[in-house]
Amino acid sequence: MGEFLTGPVLGEGPGAAWPGLDEVVARVRSSAPRLGPVRLMAIDGPAGSGKTTLAAAVARRLVAAGDAVATVHLDDLYEGWTGLEGVWDRLERDVLGPLSRGEAGRYQRYDWASGDRVQWRIVPVPDVLVVEGCGAAARAVDGRAAVRIWVEAPETVRLERGLARDGQAMRDQWLAWMADESAHFTRERTRERADVRFAT
């Protein structure tokens, strides 16, 4: 069972404190690499919970400590609103597999507006790889991640955040995604398997 921590509400800015995060970062830095030469931090949780905000806070602390950090946002790998279940295969093939061999990863970013794959992005071999997004801490990450983090917030709050970002016209897509992610998290037992859990 993961340790419960609290985080800032979204929008508090880059200086916002995440109680307990320094200890989590220290844990990652002191752990042995399990993805080839890379220490992997997986940040998972439902859409709108604060994963991207937390990932940015983690990256800032790691860089300040002198680590080379790469961050992969799974939003760039999903194939739209129905892409959750296929994301792990692309992450493994394009990013985790190469990094485990000490080679740079490479993936083609998905553009949600056009519905097309667009520019290629390179993931150089870092000291720490931060992967954030729904599905980042699926069972397949066990044994490879230095720490698995779960981020949560009330459903109504998450939906409000999402629609504020994407617009009310996306309500049906958001509700469908939330149903898909709920089924995914139940099957993967993501929350229960997390090493640390943040509530925002």
Side-chain angles (χ1 to χ4, degrees):
M1 296 284 282
E3 177 185 1
F4 277 108
L5 301 171
T6 58
V9 296
L10 294 184
E12 283 191 4
W18 289 78
L21 185 57
D22 288 334
E23 290 79 2
V24 174
V25 169
R27 173 177 176 172
V28 172
R29 299 192 74 231
S30 64
S31 66
R34 297 178 180 177
L35 184 69
V38 179
R39 294 170 175 85
L40 171 61
M41 174 180 282
I43 302 178
D44 209 330
S49 59
K51 299 180 297 300
T52 303
T53 302
L54 177 58
V58 165
R60 283 192 298 270
R61 283 165 169 80
L62 289 167
V63 169
D67 290 310
V69 180
T71 302
V72 172
H73 303 284
L74 293 188
D75 275 357
D76 291 338
L77 292 174
Y78 305 127
E79 291 188 340
W81 291 100
T82 59
L84 174 57
E85 291 308 322
V87 73
W88 185 267
D89 291 341
R90 286 187 292 279
L91 178 67
E92 177 67 37
R93 181 192 66 215
D94 297 340
V95 180
L96 301 185
L99 292 180
S100 72
R101 300 188 295 271
E103 304 168 0
R106 181 173 181 263
Y107 65 90
Q108 195 172 15
R109 185 179 70 81
Y110 182 83
D111 182 80
W112 289 67
S114 68
D116 294 322
R117 293 278 169 192
V118 287
Q119 75 268 28
W120 286 90
R121 291 187 173 171
I122 304 299
V123 184
V125 181
D127 297 315
V128 180
L129 174 67
V130 179
V131 177
E132 72 85 12
C134 300
R139 291 178 189 271
V141 85
D142 292 352
R144 303 169 87 180
V147 63
R148 299 161 299 180
I149 296 178
W150 170 264
V151 188
E152 62 186 37
E155 182 175 314
T156 54
V157 172
R158 294 189 287 105
L159 181 59
E160 180 181 340
R161 290 171 179 170
L163 296 179
R165 183 191 69 186
D166 297 333
Q168 289 293 330
M170 295 293 103
R171 176 177 289 273
D172 288 347
Q173 287 89 336
W174 260 86
L175 292 174
W177 178 275
M178 293 170 81
D180 288 346
E181 69 183 8
S182 178
H184 170 86
F185 294 140
T186 297
R187 185 183 69 248
E188 297 290 324
R189 298 184 62 251
T190 314
R191 186 178 188 274
E192 293 82 357
R193 291 173 32 256
D195 302 302
V196 178
R197 295 185 290 212
F198 284 92
T200 66

